[in-house]
Amino acid sequence: MRDRLAALGLESFLKTSGGKGLHVVVPIVGAPWEPGKDFARRIALEMAADAPDRYVAKMTKSLRHGRIFVDYLRNGRAQTAVASFSPRARPGATVAAPLAWAEVAPGLDPGGFPIATMGERLAAQPRAPGAGFFAVRQTLGPGAPSAALQMKYLRVPGLWAARFHFVPVGKPAPPRPRRPRPQTASLT
């Protein structure tokens, strides 16, 4: 995943989910949600097509056995992702721990980072994993250094954005309008 994104001129960061998975996080400036989700979907489908024995892009659990589920569905506007260092409601209070890419190796347990060890873990590292995340200012589409390579993943001409468990950086999206609540009658 990291190499695929780097070939598109995108710097990526890694963290555990605090449970069973890993999140690849790519900061994108000015990323609208729907084109971003579509970009992530296309990357996930391409990975599954390139190595169907290793990756699957469909949520169906019966298809996942022995393969890595590349979940692009968490890139919608109303979806959530756990923030770094957030404790999970699990035994040992595991956290979503930022990782250096060099830490990814066979046997890595994404759920093996309890909150009690985070201070020691960070103190032992010369540079905190994920350092520099908020300084990265990268875009997609026209104007991006790798725009020609990225365009095959962008369906909507003129929109240059995406997320793949990507975290948009910069100006937040405007709040959604609230739906009116139905009127209730009092029976007294």
Side-chain angles (χ1 to χ4, degrees):
M1 169 78 62
R2 179 184 185 197
D3 293 342
R4 191 176 299 259
L5 293 167
L8 296 172
L10 299 172
E11 185 175 354
S12 57
F13 297 84
L14 184 66
K15 67 179 178 173
T16 68
S17 65
K20 296 184 279 184
L22 297 174
H23 292 182
V24 176
V25 186
V26 180
I28 302 290
V29 175
W33 292 102
E34 287 310 311
K37 181 178 178 181
D38 190 54
F39 178 84
R41 181 184 67 82
R42 289 166 181 258
I43 295 285
L45 291 173
E46 184 177 78
M47 289 180 70
D50 289 350
D53 56 320
R54 291 188 69 192
Y55 305 110
V56 62
K58 294 189 179 191
M59 187 184 290
T60 310
K61 285 195 177 195
S62 63
L63 298 176
R64 297 187 209 174
H65 185 71
R67 297 188 282 177
I68 297 168
F69 173 43
V70 183
D71 184 1
Y72 66 90
L73 297 168
R74 290 279 164 203
N75 292 290
R77 185 162 195 254
Q79 300 303 310
T80 61
V82 65
S84 294
F85 301 107
S86 294
R88 304 298 297 267
R90 299 175 185 265
T94 58
V95 300
L99 300 176
W101 282 102
E103 293 180 271
V104 179
L108 173 70
D109 177 10
F113 297 88
I115 196 167
T117 65
M118 282 295 102
E120 181 181 313
R121 172 179 159 68
L122 292 174
Q125 297 183 357
R127 182 178 174 182
F133 175 85
F134 291 106
V136 173
R137 294 288 185 252
Q138 54 194 5
T139 60
L140 294 176
S146 301
L149 294 172
Q150 295 172 5
M151 291 313 291
K152 89 176 202 182
Y153 300 101
L154 296 170
R155 182 186 338 187
V156 183
L159 287 178
W160 42 92
R163 292 172 14 109
F164 189 90
H165 259 315
F166 297 1
V167 176
V169 175
K171 186 177 176 182
R176 291 179 129 173
R178 290 183 172 221
R179 282 194 247 164
R181 290 191 168 182
Q183 295 292 327
T184 57
S186 175
L187 298 177
T188 56

